[in-house]
Amino acid sequence: MALRAYGRASILGAKGRPRCHVGWATLAAIGEVESAHGTIAGNRLLEDGRTSRPIVGPALDGEGGVAAIRPAPGGPRLHGDDTWEHAIGPMQFLPGSWRTFGADADADGVADPSDIDDAAWAAARHLCSGGLDLRDSADWTRAVLRYNASDAYVRKVVNVAEAYARTASKG
């Protein structure tokens, strides 16, 4: 289910932003790092692509090396916290970023951050914003840093993406 979503998002990306070249392996790596493809904490992906339970990241309260971010308008409705922001869904979008990049990839009439299809397409839109070409390693790094501003995060994503690409090339 998740692989299909990443592939669809890559194809939609090629149609919508052909100069970006966002690959399924990059999207899959982000999905793995963010939520184990929607299966974190005993979750599973349902037939319709939604997670069995909402995935809500930790409070962005400034503790433990995370940024302190107050919730964006509408954020508490998505994650239930009136005090701090949380990332949501299998691709871990901040509500403000979801408002900007959220999309209905599976054409069910709802752009849902808890739907792996919609979330993967939104991630592709996020990575491709700003006219980057993800075939270029510097642009790829810039895109992933915009997704999560951490060098350690970029290293994790590149390692997972390269492993997926190696495995796929063997098949």
Side-chain angles (χ1 to χ4, degrees), residues 2 6 31 35-40 42-45 51-53 55 90 116:
Y6 305 137
S35 73
H37 312 295
T39 64
I40 195 167
N43 259 297
R44 61 187 172 82
L45 293 176
T51 56
S52 57
R53 287 176 288 117
I55 298 173
I116 190 71

Side-chain angles (χ1 to χ4, degrees), residues 30 34 91-93 123 126-127 143-149 153:
I30 290 171
E34 293 293 351
M91 300 300 275
Q92 289 291 278
F93 271 90
H126 189 318
L127 293 166
V144 175
L145 279 169
R146 282 195 326 237
Y147 201 91
N148 185 322
Y153 180 82

Side-chain angles (χ1 to χ4, degrees), residues 29-30 33 140 150-162:
I30 290 171
V33 170
W140 186 93
S150 160
D151 291 332
Y153 180 82
V154 170
R155 283 190 298 276
K156 280 185 198 174
V157 171
V158 76
N159 289 336
V160 174
E162 286 176 345

Side-chain angles (χ1 to χ4, degrees), residues 90-103:
M91 300 300 275
Q92 289 291 278
F93 271 90
L94 293 177
S97 293
W98 181 257
R99 272 195 312 280
T100 300
F101 299 109

Side-chain angles (χ1 to χ4, degrees), residues 12 98-108 110-113 115 117-123 125:
L12 289 169
W98 181 257
R99 272 195 312 280
T100 300
F101 299 109
D104 179 16
D106 54 10
D108 66 358
V110 179
D112 182 353
D115 181 329
D117 296 298
D118 297 350
W121 175 219
R125 291 164 43 100

